[in-house]
Amino acid sequence: MEKINIPEMFGSLVFNDKVMRARLADDIYASLKKTIDENVRLEDTVADAVAEEMKNWAIENGATHFTHWFQPLTGVTAEKHDSFITPSPDGGVIMEFSGKELIKGEPDASSFPSGGLRATFEARGYTAWDPTSFAFIKDHTLCIPTAFCSYSGEALDKKTPLLRSMQAINREAKRILKLFGTDASYVKTSVGAEQEYFLVDQEMWNRRPDLKYTGRTLFGAMPPKGQEMDDHYFGVIKPRVSEFMEDLNQELWKLGILAKTEHNEVAPAQHELAPIFTTTNVATDSNQLTMEIMKKVAKRHGLVCLLHEKPFAGVNGSGKHNNWSITTDTGINLLSPGETPYENAQFLLFLCAVIQAVDDYQDLLRLSVATAGNDHRLGGDEAPPAIISIFLGEELTEILEAIKNDVPYKGKEEVNIKLGVHALPRFFRDTTDRNRTSPFAFTGNKFEFRSLGSANSIACCNIMLNAAVAESLHQYADELEGAENFENALHELIKRVIKEHERILFDGNGYGEEWVKEAERRGLSNLKTTADAMPKLLDEKNVQMLIRHKVFTEAEVHSRCEIMLENYVKTVNIEGLTMVDMVRKNYLPAIERYLYRLSQTVVLMRQVSENVKCKYEVSTMERLSELTDYIMDSVMELEEKLVVLKSIDDVFKSSAYVRDEMLPSMDKLRKYVDEAEMLTSQRDWPFPSYGQLLFSVN
């Protein structure tokens, strides 16, 4: 077996800092670094020099084309490839790439969603290089991470508002740090996005139209065994999956993606990959690449990678945990407590900023993870509830309680855990346990936002989180900058924030029905579906905050709301059409064939003896015949509702219709078909079963 040199492999297809430092002239490198670190405008001469070396490096590594790689509002990435070739006077070609081509591209913008920002016939759009995210080579193409905007300047992507939100939190955090005498050139947010996914056999997937068209199974009865034994979680990784993971790691490492941890998840056929933290916009790019490469690598191994949040009913769905922290250029983690958290006023103020942000803008955080797929997952005993709350753990909760009541905090000593085995080392227990039911949990020096669905772009939630925390810090800076006595004002501010926002703190079981009632008593929102959550984006407080910090314009806010609701409606519409297609063309004919065989069996058996009761055959026929009537009535009902949905031209009304009418009808149809599956011979059933799908990979 060939030995892998990981340090040599890592980042080998990335035009990273190491490559730039080696290939660029000192003054060019220094100018580019200033642009990256301090958001200073890049001079044209510097851009030309960078472009020349970037082209040379790319060609040396097998690239023939370049593309501006961007993230439109479709939820996936986009790219238009141009070759490096330019005609030469002698009839040949030369390889050229200019600074102008590096900095700006012009893709056709007419096919991408704009939410009313522009007419569909207006095609001009621009991509602008994001120098803070390194260029890379993928499939013999130099990919240049870019922002994407319209001819009139509106953001048509997810990266632009993300970069704006990072600027907002940088600006406001530096104001706070200045008050504490902490010197920082810039403050950035960092993210580590844990990615869950399913792997199924490609041959099985090819035989499931619902998986192919929608990413999830719209029908399927549970097998005798699911995840009840908890034997899959952290279990031995199966050889075929292990080979996939090894291949995936190598592809990711070449692209400089910090893939670190891999393991089986709770459900059969479910797995997870976790990276090391990196700057938020880079982490966003990396996660989009990770999802794309997962799918490509899976196909090499005869597998299909499912990133839908709920591909199988009855077992856990897949999420994406967004681990978020704030750090300075000097390496200080602003969410990391000092020697004693109680004495660490700077930490406590930043902690309060997050608490207030999550409370004030819980609706924005909820809608940032709202999709038709994630609606199936949130609120089940597998994922956080739709109610947004914060888990701080016992120690921090007690500290805040002490501050609120102006009483001393006695502290919590580390407890030494004795394992009773002399050969094993002793170690200290953390002072706080973890709460897997919480959507927003503090885990020592970061917050883990657990509500994202596996297919979500992490840009959306980080835009809202950055902006909301920037707003808290903005308010604190305004108040503290004019204080006569900084320490007294700081103490009173922290105490007030705790009192005003303690309703968002919850350390208990987020899965319990009691919490739903308690959250309602506290006045917390419970936005169960995308149709409930997304319109909240247009609430005046949300619009004004996002505009104030220049994260979105008002037009961009309205466009995002329309696009996300439209996507919700389109997703469920495709699912409804797929259900009708599968029932009419496959399920009903299959049940009919089985009924015919049963009836023929009864006739033949009774010809042999009139005393034969045929109890199994007759009872099965009676129930299946009844179910076919229910299925037929339900599919006709669904067809009628699909027609009505098509006639509704208001996206708010159509999304409400999907929630209130379409989804209940689809659930009813599925229930009858799934029962019929349990009564029909496997030989006659037209599609692979759940058991075959979930346990097909070994």
Side-chain angles (χ1 to χ4, degrees):
M1 184 177 177
E2 185 181 351
K3 185 179 179 181
I4 301 171
N5 188 329
I6 296 176
E8 187 177 300
M9 172 192 293
F10 189 84
S12 58
L13 296 180
V14 183
F15 195 72
N16 55 26
D17 189 71
K18 180 180 177 182
V19 175
M20 289 189 292
R21 195 164 54 245
R23 301 186 72 115
L24 298 176
D26 290 346
D27 59 330
I28 299 295
Y29 173 75
S31 181
L32 179 59
K33 280 293 287 180
K34 195 172 182 66
T35 296
I36 293 171
D37 293 340
E38 301 177 30
N39 199 30
V40 176
R41 185 180 178 277
L42 192 71
E43 296 298 327
D44 291 345
T45 54
V46 175
D48 283 332
V50 173
E52 179 65 20
E53 282 307 317
M54 191 182 286
K55 177 206 71 179
N56 293 338
W57 169 83
I59 292 171
E60 289 167 18
N61 283 277
T64 57
H65 289 67
F66 68 92
T67 182
H68 276 196
W69 184 80
F70 58 101
Q71 299 168 37
L73 298 171
T74 55
V76 294
T77 57
E79 48 197 71
K80 180 189 76 170
H81 298 188
D82 286 294
S83 71
F84 289 118
I85 65 170
T86 299
S88 63
D90 61 1
V93 294
I94 56 176
M95 306 296 270
E96 286 190 345
F97 181 54
S98 68
K100 183 180 178 182
E101 289 173 308
L102 169 63
I103 290 172
K104 188 182 83 171
E106 189 180 332
D108 186 335
S110 62
S111 297
F112 295 109
S114 71
L117 284 175
R118 54 191 288 110
T120 54
F121 64 81
E122 295 174 330
R124 194 180 294 275
Y126 296 112
T127 48
W129 178 36
D130 172 16
T132 64
S133 186
F134 298 133
F136 56 91
I137 296 171
K138 175 171 68 78
D139 300 330
H140 304 291
T141 300
L142 173 66
C143 297
I144 303 158
T146 57
F148 178 46
C149 65
S150 71
Y151 179 72
S152 49
E154 297 96 349
L156 296 176
D157 67 342
K158 299 190 176 185
K159 168 161 280 196
T160 302
L162 178 62
L163 293 172
R164 292 171 182 169
S165 75
M166 292 170 67
Q167 287 181 359
I169 201 168
N170 170 57
R171 180 177 60 248
E172 302 302 336
K174 285 198 296 184
R175 292 176 65 193
I176 295 293
L177 291 176
K178 187 176 180 182
L179 293 169
F180 282 95
T182 302
D183 196 23
S185 298
Y186 60 86
V187 175
K188 65 180 181 180
T189 56
S190 298
V191 167
E194 303 169 30
Q195 178 72 56
E196 295 176 346
Y197 59 97
F198 281 83
L199 289 175
V200 297
D201 186 87
Q202 185 167 13
E203 191 274 330
M204 297 283 180
W205 178 86
N206 284 335
R207 292 164 53 199
R208 290 287 310 215
D210 46 0
L211 281 178
K212 292 175 76 171
Y213 297 147
T214 74
R216 75 179 181 105
T217 52
L218 301 171
F219 303 98
M222 278 298 294
K225 181 182 183 299
Q227 63 188 53
E228 298 85 355
M229 301 301 292
D230 299 315
D231 53 345
H232 193 69
Y233 191 49
F234 278 18
V236 175
I237 299 172
K238 295 177 180 177
R240 196 170 168 195
V241 175
S242 181
E243 290 170 5
F244 158 80
M245 288 179 170
E246 182 179 345
D247 198 0
L248 174 64
N249 283 333
Q250 292 183 35
E251 293 298 325
L252 295 178
W253 290 338
K254 290 175 189 175
L255 292 170
I257 295 173
L258 296 159
K260 175 74 171 176
T261 304
E262 59 192 28
H263 60 84
N264 291 337
E265 258 300 332
V266 174
Q270 188 184 32
H271 315 279
E272 181 179 295
L273 179 147
I276 298 171
F277 279 65
T278 189
T279 310
T280 303
N281 63 313
V282 177
T284 302
D285 288 352
S286 294
N287 186 251
Q288 291 293 139
L289 271 174
T290 297
M291 291 190 287
E292 176 187 335
I293 293 168
M294 277 178 166
K295 293 180 178 180
K296 286 184 178 179
V297 172
K299 286 188 176 181
R300 293 182 202 162
H301 296 266
L303 303 169
V304 172
C305 178
L306 303 178
L307 292 173
H308 193 284
E309 291 81 4
K310 194 73 174 177
F312 302 101
V315 299
N316 281 9
S318 292
K320 180 146 50 190
H321 302 164
N322 189 83
N323 294 281
W324 181 90
S325 65
I326 322 174
T327 56
T328 69
D329 61 303
T330 56
I332 299 172
N333 185 333
L334 299 175
L335 292 178
S336 184
E339 289 298 317
T340 58
Y342 182 62
E343 297 171 353
N344 193 329
Q346 181 175 287
F347 159 72
L348 287 171
L349 188 62
F350 276 93
L351 178 70
C352 283
V354 177
I355 292 170
Q356 179 177 335
V358 175
D359 187 21
D360 286 347
Y361 298 101
Q362 53 189 277
D363 49 356
L364 284 183
L365 291 181
R366 170 63 185 91
L367 66 87
S368 74
V369 301
T371 63
N374 210 23
D375 285 354
H376 293 290
R377 172 180 162 267
L378 291 179
D381 289 356
E382 57 174 288
I387 303 163
I388 300 295
S389 65
I390 296 177
F391 168 81
L392 292 180
E394 186 180 350
E395 182 177 33
L396 263 182
T397 301
E398 290 177 3
I399 290 169
L400 297 189
E401 191 69 20
I403 294 172
K404 183 185 78 171
N405 297 318
D406 269 331
V407 297
Y409 172 66
K410 296 179 180 178
K412 187 181 287 290
E413 294 182 1
E414 292 178 314
V415 179
N416 191 14
I417 296 179
K418 297 179 180 179
L419 299 174
V421 181
H422 295 299
L424 295 179
R426 294 179 298 170
F427 60 92
F428 287 99
R429 186 182 72 192
D430 290 333
T431 54
T432 290
D433 202 352
R434 299 183 69 185
N435 186 339
R436 62 182 294 270
T437 73
S438 174
F440 204 87
F442 185 70
T443 56
N445 60 1
K446 64 185 185 300
F447 279 95
E448 183 180 28
F449 190 20
R450 298 170 55 88
S451 298
L452 286 78
S454 53
N456 283 165
S457 163
I458 65 171
C460 301
C461 73
N462 286 297
I463 290 167
M464 299 308 180
L465 184 54
N466 290 345
V469 174
E471 172 64 17
S472 298
L473 295 173
H474 174 78
Q475 293 177 20
Y476 300 169
D478 283 353
E479 182 173 338
L480 294 173
E481 283 170 349
E484 292 183 9
N485 186 311
F486 174 71
E487 289 187 4
N488 288 345
L490 176 63
H491 178 75
E492 290 304 314
L493 171 60
I494 291 174
K495 188 165 70 170
R496 186 183 75 240
V497 170
I498 295 167
K499 286 181 178 179
E500 291 178 354
H501 299 283
E502 62 183 343
R503 67 172 186 166
I504 201 72
L505 304 178
F506 178 65
D507 288 3
N509 179 15
Y511 293 165
E513 186 59 34
E514 299 81 5
W515 170 230
V516 176
K517 296 175 183 175
E518 171 63 16
E520 184 178 1
R521 187 192 67 76
R522 294 187 186 191
L524 302 180
S525 60
N526 185 7
L527 305 170
K528 295 181 179 179
T529 72
T530 300
D532 298 314
M534 200 53 63
K536 296 292 183 182
L537 181 59
L538 303 184
D539 285 2
E540 184 67 14
K541 73 174 181 68
N542 296 332
V543 175
Q544 290 307 312
M545 184 274 285
L546 293 167
I547 293 173
R548 183 161 53 251
H549 292 284
K550 300 179 181 179
V551 174
F552 291 112
T553 65
E554 185 169 1
E556 288 169 351
V557 172
H558 283 267
S559 75
R560 264 65 180 177
C561 183
E562 183 176 323
I563 288 167
M564 296 309 294
L565 284 176
E566 190 177 76
N567 185 62
Y568 171 74
V569 172
K570 286 180 177 178
T571 298
V572 179
N573 183 63
I574 292 169
E575 290 179 348
L577 291 170
T578 302
M579 291 183 89
V580 169
D581 190 69
M582 292 175 73
V583 167
R584 284 198 173 276
K585 292 180 179 177
N586 301 101
Y587 284 125
L588 284 175
I591 298 168
E592 183 182 45
R593 283 194 301 273
Y594 186 54
L595 281 170
Y596 176 78
R597 288 205 298 114
L598 283 176
S599 63
Q600 289 293 98
T601 299
V602 170
V603 170
L604 291 172
M605 290 173 70
R606 285 181 173 167
Q607 284 178 357
V608 174
S609 170
E610 294 182 357
N611 296 325
V612 175
K613 294 181 179 179
C614 301
K615 189 172 182 180
Y616 156 69
E617 291 82 2
V618 172
S619 64
T620 301
M621 280 194 297
E622 288 176 348
R623 182 54 183 164
L624 277 176
S625 178
E626 191 175 29
L627 283 171
T628 55
D629 291 340
Y630 293 156
I631 291 169
M632 191 61 208
D633 290 342
S634 298
V635 82
M636 290 174 66
E637 175 187 304
L638 180 56
E639 286 171 324
E640 290 170 3
K641 290 184 176 179
L642 283 163
V643 172
V644 173
L645 179 63
K646 193 174 181 180
S647 70
I648 304 173
D649 57 7
D650 180 276
V651 72
F652 294 94
K653 291 179 181 178
S654 60
S655 62
Y657 187 81
V658 162
R659 175 195 63 203
D660 300 334
E661 299 292 336
M662 290 281 297
L663 290 170
S665 290
M666 291 163 65
D667 289 342
K668 182 169 67 173
L669 176 58
R670 174 175 188 153
K671 180 182 130 183
Y672 295 139
V673 172
D674 288 357
E675 184 182 346
E677 179 181 354
M678 299 300 292
L679 296 174
T680 305
S681 161
Q682 184 173 318
R683 187 182 79 175
D684 291 283
W685 204 244
F687 304 116
S689 68
Y690 263 31
Q692 291 170 311
L693 286 164
L694 288 169
F695 297 96
S696 63
V697 180
N698 51 38

